[in-house]
Amino acid sequence: MNTIVLAIIIVTIVGLLGAAILVAAAKFMAVYEDPRVGEITAVLAGANCGGCGYAGCADYAKAVVEGKAPCDKCAPGGAACSAAVAKIMGVGASTGVPKRAMVACSGSNDKCKQKFDYQGIETCAAAAMVSGGPSACAFGCIGKGDCVASCKFDAIHVVNGVAVVDREKCTGCSACTVACPKHIIFMKPLEAKPVVECSNKEKGPVVMKECTAGCIGCMLCQKNCPEGAITVTDFVASIDYDKCTGCGICTEKCPKKVIYFVDGKPKTAPNEAAPAEEKAN
């Protein structure tokens, strides 16, 4: 037999054997993926913001299918997205109240003093490593914009030295809460309820020397809250939104005016006359 022909035959046989092995390997080593993963990924916001606690939308979709995550963790997608995911999974949609970011600090440049002129790397994380940051308040916003860099929706900016959230743009992804080295950004229900815009845990006299807009821990808000929804711990007030009814009494009693309403007016304004139909009852 011709040497060339023999070589061709041998190469052909080897090729066919290799192809057969690859086909068999593909069959036996294939990893099955539930088609619902792709369906859920398609209805998510696609921001890959990490607000759900997973690396990206695909990872979150996989976790939902595997029963490791709820259907309503895609904050940028909102209620419509949660409903779509729930429909794919064949479960009821969540009725939870959406949340938006809030910065628990009102110590702008004109209100909070500075300890020193920081000249280092322009990030909050770096500045925080130098004596806790340049702000006289060790608990306040540093204002270098780590939260701004983390937001994919242009919903947070540093204004006069302190971060401010545009709650119309905010999707509730919570990326900024992770980026803040001071951990003073939190998620507040999108309801007409008050917030405490301060995180200073020092005693009142110290706070007043550092910032004119700080909570002094006077406890007037706690003593006057009819629902027991606001408490003072470590000299700073905090609100339990599961108990808060939005009456607004705490906003009136706060002498420093660091408690105020966000997302609308109170359900019933303090000291407001009751409607005629209520008086009749």
Side-chain angles (χ1 to χ4, degrees), residues 7-227:
I8 292 173
I9 293 173
I10 292 173
V11 171
T12 301
I13 294 173
V14 172
L16 290 172
L17 287 173
I21 292 172
L22 289 175
V23 170
K27 180 178 180 180
F28 291 107
M29 297 178 69
V31 178
Y32 170 76
E33 181 178 273
D34 193 311
R36 292 178 297 176
V37 173
E39 294 175 15
I40 292 176
T41 302
V43 300
L44 296 177
N48 290 307
C49 59
C52 59
Y54 294 87
C57 295
D59 283 348
Y60 168 58
K62 183 179 179 182
V64 171
V65 172
E66 293 177 348
K68 298 178 180 178
C71 298
D72 60 353
K73 293 290 285 183
C74 183
C81 176
S82 297
V85 174
K87 183 177 180 180
I88 293 171
M89 293 300 296
V91 298
S94 170
T95 57
V97 177
K99 297 181 178 181
R100 297 294 182 266
M102 281 298 305
V103 181
C105 177
S106 53
S108 53
N109 290 335
D110 57 325
K111 297 176 181 178
C112 188
K113 297 178 181 179
Q114 298 288 299
K115 291 184 294 187
F116 57 87
D117 183 20
Y118 177 72
Q119 298 293 330
I121 300 172
E122 290 296 307
T123 67
C124 298
M129 296 178 69
V130 183
S131 299
S135 174
C137 173
F139 302 90
C141 177
I142 297 176
K144 299 300 180 182
D146 289 19
C147 53
V148 178
S150 72
C151 182
K152 296 180 181 293
F153 306 96
D154 190 39
I156 187 166
H157 300 90
V158 175
V159 180
N160 197 18
V162 66
V164 178
V165 178
D166 182 337
R167 289 168 68 81
E168 291 186 357
K169 290 184 178 181
C170 178
T171 63
C173 75
S174 74
C176 56
T177 67
V178 178
C180 178
K182 292 291 186 176
H183 306 295
I184 60 170
I185 305 178
F186 67 100
M187 304 307 295
K188 175 194 172 294
L190 196 59
E191 299 175 317
K193 293 183 178 181
V195 297
V196 180
E197 202 173 55
C198 181
S199 300
N200 198 316
K201 297 181 180 180
E202 295 177 298
K203 294 182 179 181
V206 177
V207 174
M208 289 191 290
K209 290 179 181 179
E210 298 172 343
C211 180
T212 60
C215 175
I216 56 176
C218 66
M219 301 186 73
L220 285 175
C221 53
Q222 176 177 317
K223 293 176 181 177
N224 287 278
C225 179
E227 305 298 330

Side-chain angles (χ1 to χ4, degrees), residues 244-276:
C244 179
T245 61
C247 69
I249 292 176
C250 58
T251 65
E252 286 199 340
K253 296 297 181 180
C254 178
K256 300 296 289 184
K257 300 305 176 185
V258 294
I259 307 177
Y260 66 97
F261 271 93
V262 174
D263 303 318
K265 297 180 180 179
K267 293 180 179 178
T268 303
N271 304 320
E272 186 178 40

